[in-house]
Amino acid sequence: MSKLILQGGRRLSGEIFVQGAKNSALPLLAATILGDSVSEIHNCPDLSDVDASINILQYLGCGISRSNNTVVVDPRGMFRYDIPDNLMREMRSSIVFLGAIVAKTGRARISFPGGCELGPRPIDLHLSSLRQLGVIIEEDHGYLDCRCEGRLKGAHITLSFPSVGATENIMLAAATAEGTTIISNPAREPEISDLADYLNSCGARIHGAGESTMYIEGVEKLSGTAHQVIPDRIAATTFMSAAAITGGSLVLREIVPSHLGPVIPVMEEMGCDIKVQGHELKITAPPRLKRVKIIRTLPYPGFPTDAQAPIMSLASVADGTSVFVENIFENRYKHVGELLRLGAKIKVEGRVAVVEGVPRLSGATVCAMDLRGGAALVIAGIAAEGITEVDGLHHIDRGYERIEETLNSIGAKITRVNE
Ligand code: UD1
């Protein structure tokens, strides 16, 4: 088990390049199997979730080569259509392979993804959407057995909730379906637009990604392409938060500032000065942050649920009381118990968390229970007086490329210990 040892109380300042977006890279890697030639995915972050996707691609029979942040996928040798349980368990979001595999091979067999650390994560929207496209799905001893007769058929699908994963699965399945698919109320996250850009560059005809209706005109075949993954808006928010909690300043290079649109006003409300110029953003924090009145997590372009935990660390030392309402996931306050160990004052009642800012946190041993909650503990530990030990580092490694190296480059003092 690996852990981080943090020496808190140091002001962070400097500049960093933000890694490619995990939540783009994963569906993009699944999409590479749809082409009839090689795809190059550039700016692909070096993360354990990316390793898990690559393991699946290799199991399916794809050729992979990987150097620095480029992954090259040759789907021409693909000969399997199933994903065994051990590979599914490595990463729940591998459900996004389902639409791609069934569109490519006419069959798919994957183990049913169960609950996870964020509470139950049902896949009813994925399955009902794929059924509307003509996929016959049977549940069999924890496995989903899927097949279709001939090509999938375009359909008009209305999502009752704009699920990110379900939207991606529909896009992957419908890109080569017969006829046009219309998605009403699709997810509008930037990662959805990134996937549409990739697929269009492979020959797909997708319009309206990022809007409230998406049109996917099915094409007979797709090729491979070269694609650059967008910068990770959640990693960007995490590093902005780390600088902000220390009263520091940070320049983020090569980001897409509009993707941070839902987060910037919150940080400004907390007293940070934020300047955007082209693909650069500079944040300068006050000596003590102010409370944020209320944060409600919502689908994009609302405030992202993935930023809830990092911003809660800021609120825990801000001047005044902040209120959070988590609307996306049922069980996304696991970091709260750990923040309490560091001296935070937080009360949770169902989906609402009330955070009474304290003047300072103090170091303790805490455990990352999930990815973004773990990042929140690192942020809190950077501000806490004394030494903080963050266990459960494997959760954080799912989504951040060597987080300690990035933070140390701007003045943090963090050591990784592999036991
Ligand atoms: C993706 C992101 C995750 C982010 C989340 C919300 C990836 C790899 N992960 O997860 O980081 O926190 O979007 O922005 O991109 N739901 C159903 N039925 C379904 C599908 C979803 O009820 O069939 C519910 C989920 O339980 C959850 C909510 O919808 O409560 C949001 O889920 P969804 O948007 O699908 O998130 P993911 O794609 O799993």
Side-chain angles (χ1 to χ4, degrees):
M1 293 289 268
S2 306
K3 60 187 176 191
L4 295 178
I5 312 284
L6 295 91
Q7 192 183 307
R10 300 160 68 94
R11 185 177 173 277
L12 303 191
S13 82
E15 54 178 69
I16 54 175
F17 289 89
V18 177
Q19 68 190 50
K22 168 181 89 75
N23 289 353
S24 263
L26 304 181
L28 287 171
L29 288 169
T32 59
I33 67 171
L34 291 172
D36 60 8
S37 56
V38 169
S39 274
E40 290 173 18
I41 306 297
H42 299 289
N43 198 31
C44 188
D46 183 10
L47 307 170
S48 58
D49 269 8
V50 167
D51 297 342
S53 292
I54 288 176
N55 288 343
I56 291 173
L57 289 169
Q58 280 175 324
Y59 175 82
L60 293 173
C62 299
I64 302 284
S65 69
R66 194 175 177 185
S67 62
N68 300 319
N69 286 109
T70 294
V71 178
V72 180
V73 184
D74 185 347
R76 287 171 294 193
M78 180 170 160
F79 64 98
R80 288 199 176 101
Y81 57 81
D82 66 303
I83 305 179
D85 193 47
N86 61 323
L87 292 180
M88 278 303 287
R89 277 181 198 277
E90 279 185 42
M91 182 181 59
R92 294 284 166 208
S93 49
S94 22
I95 183 70
V96 80
F97 273 91
L98 183 56
I101 295 178
V102 80
K104 172 89 174 185
T105 67
R107 291 211 59 178
R109 184 173 161 82
I110 65 168
S111 80
F112 206 101
C116 79
E117 68 270 13
L118 306 181
R121 275 178 115 160
I123 53 165
D124 52 317
L125 298 172
H126 298 246
L127 300 187
S128 63
S129 305
L130 291 175
R131 283 190 171 111
Q132 288 178 70
L133 294 169
V135 183
I136 300 156
I137 303 173
E138 279 162 19
E139 291 174 29
D140 163 31
H141 296 92
Y143 273 80
L144 290 165
D145 243 321
C146 307
R147 65 197 147 80
C148 63
E149 310 291 345
R151 271 169 81 192
L152 294 172
K153 307 271 181 302
H156 186 164
I157 300 169
T158 301
L159 289 176
S160 55
F161 179 87
S163 153
V164 174
T167 303
E168 290 164 349
N169 249 328
I170 299 169
M171 292 166 74
L172 294 170
T176 53
E178 220 176 287
T180 298
T181 296
I182 301 173
I183 316 178
S184 296
N185 195 29
R188 292 189 277 162
E189 270 68 1
E191 294 76 22
I192 296 288
S193 302
D194 201 26
L195 179 61
D197 288 345
Y198 166 83
L199 289 169
N200 285 341
S201 159
C202 293
R205 294 201 194 122
I206 301 177
H207 312 278
E211 295 168 26
S212 54
T213 307
M214 197 189 310
Y215 301 86
I216 306 165
E217 240 181 275
V219 296
E220 267 188 39
K221 68 183 192 83
L222 296 174
S223 61
T225 192
H227 182 83
Q228 176 90 3
V229 178
I230 56 171
D232 194 314
R233 63 197 167 97
I234 304 300
T237 305
T238 303
F239 297 125
M240 286 164 75
S241 302
I245 203 169
T246 69
S249 68
L250 180 67
V251 176
L252 299 178
R253 297 231 186 270
E254 288 180 24
I255 58 155
V256 183
S258 63
H259 294 171
L260 296 171
V263 168
I264 289 173
V266 168
M267 294 209 162
E268 285 175 335
E269 189 185 339
M270 298 184 102
C272 297
D273 177 61
I274 296 181
K275 291 204 166 50
V276 169
Q277 200 173 26
H279 289 290
E280 254 178 53
L281 178 149
K282 180 169 188 189
I283 177 169
T284 309
R288 185 164 187 204
L289 294 163
K290 293 189 278 189
R291 61 110 183 225
V292 54
K293 238 191 224 161
I294 185 158
I295 288 193
R296 293 187 180 85
T297 64
L298 288 169
Y300 192 86
F303 186 87
T305 173
D306 287 352
Q308 176 254 107
I311 298 293
M312 191 177 287
S313 293
L314 303 192
S316 68
V317 290
D319 188 8
T321 299
S322 309
V323 176
F324 291 73
V325 185
E326 174 55 59
N327 291 308
I328 306 294
F329 288 106
E330 268 175 41
N331 190 6
R332 209 167 194 182
Y333 284 138
K334 286 200 171 166
H335 46 283
V336 168
E338 305 302 300
L339 287 174
L340 296 181
R341 286 174 176 240
L342 296 169
K345 277 194 182 169
I346 306 173
K347 286 211 167 69
V348 174
E349 186 83 41
R351 288 181 180 271
V352 177
V354 178
V355 184
E356 204 184 309
V358 296
R360 66 192 61 81
L361 299 173
S362 55
T365 295
V366 291
C367 188
M369 305 289 190
D370 58 45
L371 166 56
R372 305 303 171 186
L377 299 178
V378 172
I379 293 165
I382 283 174
E385 273 176 3
I387 303 290
T388 294
E389 185 179 311
V390 181
D391 297 339
L393 190 47
H394 59 284
H395 287 296
I396 300 175
D397 288 338
R398 286 186 41 224
Y400 296 90
E401 277 184 341
R402 297 170 290 281
I403 194 168
E404 73 283 10
E405 287 179 20
T406 309
L407 290 167
N408 287 346
S409 76
I410 52 172
K413 199 159 182 209
I414 308 176
T415 316
R416 176 183 289 254
V417 179
N418 295 315
E419 283 180 346

